[in-house]
Amino acid sequence: MSDSPDHDPLSFIPVPLARSRHDGWTPRRQRLFIDRLALIGLVSAAAKSVGMSAKSAYALRKRPGAESFADAWDAAAGMGLHTAHSTAIDRAINGVRQPVFYRGRQVGERTVYNDKLLIVALRRYYQERNCTFFTDDAL
């Protein structure tokens, strides 16, 4: 994998397959999987979104010639986790708008905050930085 500033961490050489199947891991499906993994951060959800199983994705990753794919997978998973983490913090701080109903009709909205979500996000942040500020005893 190149470290040049122009290098796209999600670009890769598709895993070569002995036989090509329309319902298998085609080069197009491999690229879509990596793109979805970068958005979602979850292997099972990314695989499902391209019509494949997580088990088959892991098997593809282990195949000979999958080094480039594995590097893109790692980069995409990191991007997806970053997005999920940022979204969790945003929702915890800014809340989520939910409709309020009375007798079957929407009469307003309320903002719901999730402190547990913020605590989990902050705990992960501090664990990544090896800080002792957030420990289980402090919570």
Side-chain angles (χ1 to χ4, degrees):
M1 195 154 119
S2 174
D3 291 333
S4 72
D6 297 337
H7 177 73
D8 177 4
L10 300 184
S11 67
F12 66 97
I13 299 167
V15 180
L17 302 172
R19 53 191 169 140
S20 180
R21 294 177 46 144
H22 74 282
D23 61 346
W25 281 104
T26 62
R28 181 177 182 278
R29 190 168 275 142
Q30 290 179 44
R31 286 187 184 90
L32 283 172
F33 169 78
I34 293 297
D35 289 343
R36 301 284 167 76
L37 185 58
L39 293 173
I40 300 169
L42 300 171
V43 172
S44 58
K48 185 177 180 180
S49 75
V50 298
M52 302 300 284
S53 70
K55 183 177 179 180
S56 69
Y58 282 106
L60 180 68
R61 181 186 169 106
K62 291 179 184 176
R63 291 180 66 100
E67 297 80 15
S68 179
F69 176 74
D71 288 343
W73 174 316
D74 292 341
M79 290 174 171
L81 287 175
H82 176 74
T83 300
H85 184 254
S86 298
T87 301
I89 289 178
D90 179 63
R91 288 182 180 178
I93 292 172
N94 298 316
V96 177
R97 303 290 294 166
Q98 291 184 346
V100 175
F101 292 92
Y102 178 74
R103 294 187 177 179
R105 296 182 71 188
Q106 184 174 345
V107 295
E109 288 185 336
R110 67 178 177 193
T111 302
V112 177
Y113 299 91
N114 188 333
D115 291 337
K116 288 181 183 179
L117 190 60
L118 182 59
I119 289 170
V120 169
L122 288 173
R123 180 179 287 147
R124 180 175 178 264
Y125 174 83
Y126 283 104
Q127 284 174 344
E128 285 178 355
R129 285 149 186 80
N130 294 321
C131 297
T132 57
F133 178 76
F134 255 111
T135 64
D136 288 333
D137 297 336
L139 304 174

